[in-house]
Amino acid sequence: MYTLLETSKESLFKKYLRIFFVVAAYWIISITTVFVNKELFSGTKVKLNATLFVTWFQCVVSTFICVSATFMSQKFPRAFRINLPEAKPFHWETIKRVIPLSILFTMMISSNNLCLKFVSVAFYYVGRSLTTIFNVILTYIFLRERQSAKSIVCCLVIIAGFLLGVDQESLTETFSLVGTIFGIIGSFSLSMYSIYTKKTLPHVNGEVWLLSYYNNLYSCFLFLPLILINGEFNTVLNYEYIGKLWFWCAMLIGGFCGFLIGYVTTLQIKVTSPLTHNISGTAKACAQTVMATSWYHEVKSFLWWTSNLVVLLGSFSYARVKQLEMAKKHRVEQNTQKL
């Protein structure tokens, strides 16, 4: 009995230790990715005005990593257990079912990166804080799922924080209306992407890794006309550092970070829950904002910080309300089954 109890405690300790390291990895990789991308998109050293090209290159790197990992898992199955089961990216049935999600994926990452290009890292979270609002709206439109009064109040708090943040950011030199608009588009596309992911996953047998491979591969093609229309091919060809090794090393680091953030995001959801992931992401954004203001030596007003606090409180409150509602719904279903 004593041995079983000790074994149970040890197992529980390992579980929480794993969760701690996964959440810590998510925080580190996510914050690092934001700072790396900010330097690539609008840094003083890189100076490459081709955000879509950089994003496209990151998709190429992610696709290459997925394919390489699959090849290695086939050659060395004991060392590499990652696999892409029945990957048929150029099969018409696969394209037909996955390409709508890939279009949203392309829209999401491009708008998020364009937002990051124009706004400061400190304002990046607030600029993209309307994701919860769009989730509520789109869930009602597509699923006819109504929200409780408490949830709506939390959404209004988030909107108030967003509007206050935009108002205060507009008083600073780093404000960008274009970047703020891209932030809103990014929030919308992320919400749409989340909804369509649930619809698309069954078509790939629930394999997140396989879906990530398809999205990145298709985005490599979807970005090409956007890059052409935006005139970025000429920008890249005439770029003064195009032949420099350090530039391509920076691009590879950005691509690797882009791949890692997708992986650790999925891993965090797997070892915790979607709700815990949202809470972790919100807390991470708070730390990221504080770090950004310190790193870039930005001085913000009291109301600017208040707007961030309002958005954070609204987001945390919404997550808590949904958690309690889900628990209540689960208890009701259990009692119904017993009857």
Side-chain angles (χ1 to χ4, degrees), residues 196-260:
Y196 270 85
T197 296
K198 293 179 181 179
K199 292 184 176 182
T200 309
L201 270 173
H203 299 304
V204 293
N205 298 321
E207 292 287 345
V208 177
W209 181 273
L210 183 61
L211 189 60
S212 175
Y213 166 60
Y214 286 152
N215 278 332
N216 281 286
L217 177 62
Y218 294 156
S219 292
C220 291
F221 296 98
L222 292 171
F223 267 115
L224 293 177
L226 298 177
I227 295 172
L228 181 64
I229 293 171
N230 205 36
E232 292 189 4
F233 281 119
N234 290 330
T235 303
V236 174
L237 291 175
N238 295 319
Y239 180 55
E240 58 180 322
Y241 301 126
I242 191 67
K244 299 294 183 179
L245 179 62
W246 66 263
F247 167 71
W248 290 108
C249 287
M251 290 282 283
L252 286 171
I253 291 172
F256 190 62
C257 285
F259 167 77
L260 283 180

Side-chain angles (χ1 to χ4, degrees), residues 66-116:
C66 287
V67 174
S68 299
T70 302
F71 175 78
M72 295 299 290
S73 69
Q74 293 172 349
K75 292 292 182 180
F76 310 99
R78 292 184 178 181
F80 298 88
R81 297 181 180 180
I82 300 173
N83 193 20
L84 298 178
E86 301 180 2
K88 299 177 181 178
F90 301 109
H91 193 276
W92 171 244
E93 194 66 24
T94 301
I95 295 174
K96 184 174 66 174
R97 294 185 181 279
V98 179
I99 200 67
L101 182 69
S102 298
I103 292 173
L104 288 172
F105 177 78
T106 304
M107 178 180 173
M108 177 184 68
I109 59 175
S110 59
S111 56
N112 284 340
N113 287 344
L114 285 167
C115 172
L116 183 59

